[in-house]
Amino acid sequence: MWQLQGFDSTEFVSQYWQKKPCVLRNIFDHFESPISAEELAGLACEDDVHSRLVIEKDGTQPWQVRHGPFDEQDFLNLPESHYSLLVSECEKWLPELTGLLDQFRFIPDWRIDDLMISYAPAQGSVGPHVDEYDVFLLQAQGQRRWLYNDSRIKNPKLIPDLELAILEQFDPDQDTVLNAGDMLYLPPDIAHHGIALQPGLTYSIGFRTPSAVTVLESFSMEIERIGFSSIKYEDPDLELERHHSEITATEIDKFSTLATEVLRQSSSLWQDAVGKMLSDSPVVRDESDHQPFYVSDLRACNWIRHPETRLLFHQNNDNISVYYNGRSHSLPNQPEILELIRNLCDKHEWSLDLINQCIAIEALEKLLLELACNDAIIPFEE
Ligand code: SIN
Ligand code: CO
């Protein structure tokens, strides 16, 4: 079921990706959502799951937003129509959906943000709005009408005093109905409004575009880590004609030059700054559990990635750096090591056979032990 039909990724990227919306009809053949509306509601009742109810009318205010976890009574109290239930990061809770996300691997893994699933009864929507990210909106069940614009808008005006970012003005030039198995791609900054025509489920596969601020933050953490301190402020040309409390323009310029110089002199830190930033995730080792791992533990069962693990790699002439959950691990760049790392990155479930192939190479054995030790991979019991 998870196989994009008649999809040409080269054409899609050259014509639409980050450029303009695209309707992809019947992109999944005989599509059936592996999760029902009832199961989605069940998920929204769990602690740790990020869920929202958006109630257009008949709530305490127009476009009321309520945050989960919810209980049965919350669902019983809902109006008949004009609401939506949205559950974010569904890929963490429903491993059967990883096959769907894998279909989007023509885009790098690190660009994927999450898979949100929404349920809406007839007329349910989250209002006309703009998202800052690329999104594939897959109609998984029922029918939804999408009104949207073909071109991007910056800094749209929003209705004041609402919890939800709803556009004050929305003049769509596109109007299309999506059936189960159809998908709409929207680049960032496209005004859109999806209204359920029948009760149904919509999957939003959202992508992230880290900002310059995020990469600078990661870079300064790297600078701190290596204890970079050789560049300091100097003022042999101290200005005397100034008020003693004033910060002069020359001083500000000097600091900006100083920072630029640090970036230049420590350009070798970019790789780790980017790798750690892109692989960052909430997975942290449970510190109460300090048991060391041995090769015999690795051999004892199959392993899966922790559902929140981000696993990436970068190769240069000498090394392969594996980045996972904001950490790095370096290995020699040898063809057999590279092939196995690609294999590990391809798969979510690591068979004993794959584990044994890795253990046969000392550098990879160390990597696996470190991944297990940091909860990046976990034993898989069928
Ligand atoms: C939804 O699934 O209801 C909203 C998706 C979107 O408009 O981004
Ligand atoms: Co949207």
Side-chain angles (χ1 to χ4, degrees), residues 116 126-127 129-131 133 135 137 146 186 190 192-193 204:
M116 179 182 83
V126 294
H129 66 280
V130 166
D131 295 315
Y133 47 81
V135 64
L137 296 151
W146 286 97
L186 297 177
I190 291 284
H192 57 285
H193 188 191
S204 301

PDB file of all heavy atoms in Angstrom, residues 116 126-127 129-131 133 135 137 146 186 190 192-193 204, ligand 2:
ATOM      1  N   MET A 116       1.437  14.449  11.167  1.00  0.00           N
ATOM      2  CA  MET A 116       0.274  14.803  11.988  1.00  0.00           C
ATOM      3  C   MET A 116      -0.954  14.162  11.333  1.00  0.00           C
ATOM      4  O   MET A 116      -1.073  14.161  10.108  1.00  0.00           O
ATOM      5  CB  MET A 116       0.118  16.315  12.018  1.00  0.00           C
ATOM      6  CG  MET A 116      -1.075  16.785  12.813  1.00  0.00           C
ATOM      7  SD  MET A 116      -1.242  18.572  12.784  1.00  0.00           S
ATOM      8  CE  MET A 116      -2.084  18.821  11.237  1.00  0.00           C
ATOM      9  N   VAL A 126      -9.417  23.774  10.202  1.00  0.00           N
ATOM     10  CA  VAL A 126      -8.691  24.601  11.184  1.00  0.00           C
ATOM     11  C   VAL A 126      -8.626  26.048  10.689  1.00  0.00           C
ATOM     12  O   VAL A 126      -7.806  26.828  11.147  1.00  0.00           O
ATOM     13  CB  VAL A 126      -7.273  24.053  11.493  1.00  0.00           C
ATOM     14  CG1 VAL A 126      -7.357  22.714  12.200  1.00  0.00           C
ATOM     15  CG2 VAL A 126      -6.426  23.936  10.228  1.00  0.00           C
ATOM     16  N   GLY A 127      -9.506  26.365   9.724  1.00  0.00           N
ATOM     17  CA  GLY A 127      -9.577  27.741   9.246  1.00  0.00           C
ATOM     18  C   GLY A 127      -8.514  28.039   8.193  1.00  0.00           C
ATOM     19  O   GLY A 127      -7.559  27.287   8.023  1.00  0.00           O
ATOM     20  N   HIS A 129      -5.298  29.503   6.809  1.00  0.00           N
ATOM     21  CA  HIS A 129      -4.045  29.859   7.469  1.00  0.00           C
ATOM     22  C   HIS A 129      -2.864  29.641   6.535  1.00  0.00           C
ATOM     23  O   HIS A 129      -3.023  29.152   5.415  1.00  0.00           O
ATOM     24  CB  HIS A 129      -3.866  29.024   8.751  1.00  0.00           C
ATOM     25  CG  HIS A 129      -3.692  27.564   8.487  1.00  0.00           C
ATOM     26  ND1 HIS A 129      -4.745  26.717   8.216  1.00  0.00           N
ATOM     27  CD2 HIS A 129      -2.589  26.788   8.405  1.00  0.00           C
ATOM     28  CE1 HIS A 129      -4.302  25.496   7.993  1.00  0.00           C
ATOM     29  NE2 HIS A 129      -2.978  25.506   8.095  1.00  0.00           N
ATOM     30  N   VAL A 130      -1.687  29.971   7.052  1.00  0.00           N
ATOM     31  CA  VAL A 130      -0.446  29.810   6.310  1.00  0.00           C
ATOM     32  C   VAL A 130       0.494  29.010   7.192  1.00  0.00           C
ATOM     33  O   VAL A 130       0.552  29.246   8.397  1.00  0.00           O
ATOM     34  CB  VAL A 130       0.158  31.209   6.016  1.00  0.00           C
ATOM     35  CG1 VAL A 130       1.586  31.110   5.548  1.00  0.00           C
ATOM     36  CG2 VAL A 130      -0.666  31.937   4.964  1.00  0.00           C
ATOM     37  N   ASP A 131       1.191  28.037   6.624  1.00  0.00           N
ATOM     38  CA  ASP A 131       2.211  27.317   7.402  1.00  0.00           C
ATOM     39  C   ASP A 131       3.592  27.760   6.925  1.00  0.00           C
ATOM     40  O   ASP A 131       3.754  28.111   5.756  1.00  0.00           O
ATOM     41  CB  ASP A 131       2.060  25.802   7.228  1.00  0.00           C
ATOM     42  CG  ASP A 131       0.744  25.294   7.815  1.00  0.00           C
ATOM     43  OD1 ASP A 131       0.405  25.718   8.934  1.00  0.00           O
ATOM     44  OD2 ASP A 131       0.050  24.494   7.147  1.00  0.00           O
ATOM     45  N   TYR A 133       6.122  25.856   6.721  1.00  0.00           N
ATOM     46  CA  TYR A 133       6.905  24.708   6.264  1.00  0.00           C
ATOM     47  C   TYR A 133       6.242  24.027   5.064  1.00  0.00           C
ATOM     48  O   TYR A 133       5.070  24.246   4.782  1.00  0.00           O
ATOM     49  CB  TYR A 133       7.064  23.709   7.418  1.00  0.00           C
ATOM     50  CG  TYR A 133       5.774  23.424   8.139  1.00  0.00           C
ATOM     51  CD1 TYR A 133       4.870  22.518   7.608  1.00  0.00           C
ATOM     52  CD2 TYR A 133       5.442  24.097   9.311  1.00  0.00           C
ATOM     53  CE1 TYR A 133       3.671  22.273   8.242  1.00  0.00           C
ATOM     54  CE2 TYR A 133       4.226  23.861   9.952  1.00  0.00           C
ATOM     55  CZ  TYR A 133       3.354  22.943   9.408  1.00  0.00           C
ATOM     56  OH  TYR A 133       2.154  22.710  10.019  1.00  0.00           O
ATOM     57  N   VAL A 135       4.539  20.967   3.228  1.00  0.00           N
ATOM     58  CA  VAL A 135       3.678  19.900   3.762  1.00  0.00           C
ATOM     59  C   VAL A 135       3.020  19.108   2.622  1.00  0.00           C
ATOM     60  O   VAL A 135       2.655  19.678   1.590  1.00  0.00           O
ATOM     61  CB  VAL A 135       2.634  20.493   4.750  1.00  0.00           C
ATOM     62  CG1 VAL A 135       1.670  21.446   4.057  1.00  0.00           C
ATOM     63  CG2 VAL A 135       1.845  19.414   5.478  1.00  0.00           C
ATOM     64  N   LEU A 137      -0.261  16.941   2.152  1.00  0.00           N
ATOM     65  CA  LEU A 137      -1.535  16.679   2.820  1.00  0.00           C
ATOM     66  C   LEU A 137      -2.191  15.488   2.126  1.00  0.00           C
ATOM     67  O   LEU A 137      -2.697  15.619   1.002  1.00  0.00           O
ATOM     68  CB  LEU A 137      -2.417  17.920   2.728  1.00  0.00           C
ATOM     69  CG  LEU A 137      -1.842  19.138   3.460  1.00  0.00           C
ATOM     70  CD1 LEU A 137      -2.279  20.438   2.827  1.00  0.00           C
ATOM     71  CD2 LEU A 137      -2.237  19.097   4.932  1.00  0.00           C
ATOM     72  N   TRP A 146     -10.099  21.549  -0.690  1.00  0.00           N
ATOM     73  CA  TRP A 146      -8.982  22.445  -0.390  1.00  0.00           C
ATOM     74  C   TRP A 146      -9.101  23.712  -1.214  1.00  0.00           C
ATOM     75  O   TRP A 146      -9.157  23.662  -2.445  1.00  0.00           O
ATOM     76  CB  TRP A 146      -7.633  21.769  -0.667  1.00  0.00           C
ATOM     77  CG  TRP A 146      -7.292  20.753   0.378  1.00  0.00           C
ATOM     78  CD1 TRP A 146      -7.504  19.408   0.307  1.00  0.00           C
ATOM     79  CD2 TRP A 146      -6.715  21.010   1.661  1.00  0.00           C
ATOM     80  NE1 TRP A 146      -7.094  18.796   1.473  1.00  0.00           N
ATOM     81  CE2 TRP A 146      -6.602  19.756   2.318  1.00  0.00           C
ATOM     82  CE3 TRP A 146      -6.287  22.148   2.336  1.00  0.00           C
ATOM     83  CZ2 TRP A 146      -6.073  19.629   3.606  1.00  0.00           C
ATOM     84  CZ3 TRP A 146      -5.752  22.026   3.612  1.00  0.00           C
ATOM     85  CH2 TRP A 146      -5.665  20.779   4.232  1.00  0.00           C
ATOM     86  N   LEU A 186       2.007  21.478  -0.512  1.00  0.00           N
ATOM     87  CA  LEU A 186       2.045  22.934  -0.387  1.00  0.00           C
ATOM     88  C   LEU A 186       3.436  23.367   0.078  1.00  0.00           C
ATOM     89  O   LEU A 186       3.933  22.859   1.082  1.00  0.00           O
ATOM     90  CB  LEU A 186       1.027  23.422   0.662  1.00  0.00           C
ATOM     91  CG  LEU A 186      -0.451  23.166   0.389  1.00  0.00           C
ATOM     92  CD1 LEU A 186      -1.284  23.652   1.573  1.00  0.00           C
ATOM     93  CD2 LEU A 186      -0.904  23.868  -0.891  1.00  0.00           C
ATOM     94  N   ILE A 190       1.932  29.383   1.830  1.00  0.00           N
ATOM     95  CA  ILE A 190       0.778  29.312   0.922  1.00  0.00           C
ATOM     96  C   ILE A 190      -0.486  29.369   1.789  1.00  0.00           C
ATOM     97  O   ILE A 190      -0.646  28.557   2.705  1.00  0.00           O
ATOM     98  CB  ILE A 190       0.799  27.982   0.126  1.00  0.00           C
ATOM     99  CG1 ILE A 190       1.947  27.957  -0.878  1.00  0.00           C
ATOM    100  CG2 ILE A 190      -0.543  27.706  -0.549  1.00  0.00           C
ATOM    101  CD1 ILE A 190       1.733  28.792  -2.130  1.00  0.00           C
ATOM    102  N   HIS A 192      -4.052  28.495   2.821  1.00  0.00           N
ATOM    103  CA  HIS A 192      -4.876  27.337   2.481  1.00  0.00           C
ATOM    104  C   HIS A 192      -5.955  27.091   3.528  1.00  0.00           C
ATOM    105  O   HIS A 192      -5.840  27.537   4.671  1.00  0.00           O
ATOM    106  CB  HIS A 192      -4.018  26.079   2.295  1.00  0.00           C
ATOM    107  CG  HIS A 192      -3.172  25.713   3.482  1.00  0.00           C
ATOM    108  ND1 HIS A 192      -2.027  26.379   3.819  1.00  0.00           N
ATOM    109  CD2 HIS A 192      -3.312  24.729   4.411  1.00  0.00           C
ATOM    110  CE1 HIS A 192      -1.491  25.818   4.898  1.00  0.00           C
ATOM    111  NE2 HIS A 192      -2.259  24.826   5.290  1.00  0.00           N
ATOM    112  N   HIS A 193      -6.970  26.382   3.101  1.00  0.00           N
ATOM    113  CA  HIS A 193      -8.109  26.087   3.976  1.00  0.00           C
ATOM    114  C   HIS A 193      -8.709  24.756   3.530  1.00  0.00           C
ATOM    115  O   HIS A 193      -9.217  24.649   2.418  1.00  0.00           O
ATOM    116  CB  HIS A 193      -9.138  27.225   3.844  1.00  0.00           C
ATOM    117  CG  HIS A 193     -10.261  27.127   4.826  1.00  0.00           C
ATOM    118  ND1 HIS A 193     -11.389  27.898   4.733  1.00  0.00           N
ATOM    119  CD2 HIS A 193     -10.432  26.355   5.926  1.00  0.00           C
ATOM    120  CE1 HIS A 193     -12.214  27.599   5.738  1.00  0.00           C
ATOM    121  NE2 HIS A 193     -11.650  26.670   6.479  1.00  0.00           N
ATOM    122  N   SER A 204      -0.778  14.899   7.539  1.00  0.00           N
ATOM    123  CA  SER A 204       0.106  15.999   7.114  1.00  0.00           C
ATOM    124  C   SER A 204       1.539  15.580   7.343  1.00  0.00           C
ATOM    125  O   SER A 204       1.956  15.414   8.492  1.00  0.00           O
ATOM    126  CB  SER A 204      -0.123  17.261   7.934  1.00  0.00           C
ATOM    127  OG  SER A 204      -1.430  17.699   7.825  1.00  0.00           O
TER     128      SER A 204
HETATM  129 CO    CO B   2      -1.854  24.062   7.176  1.00  0.00          CO
END
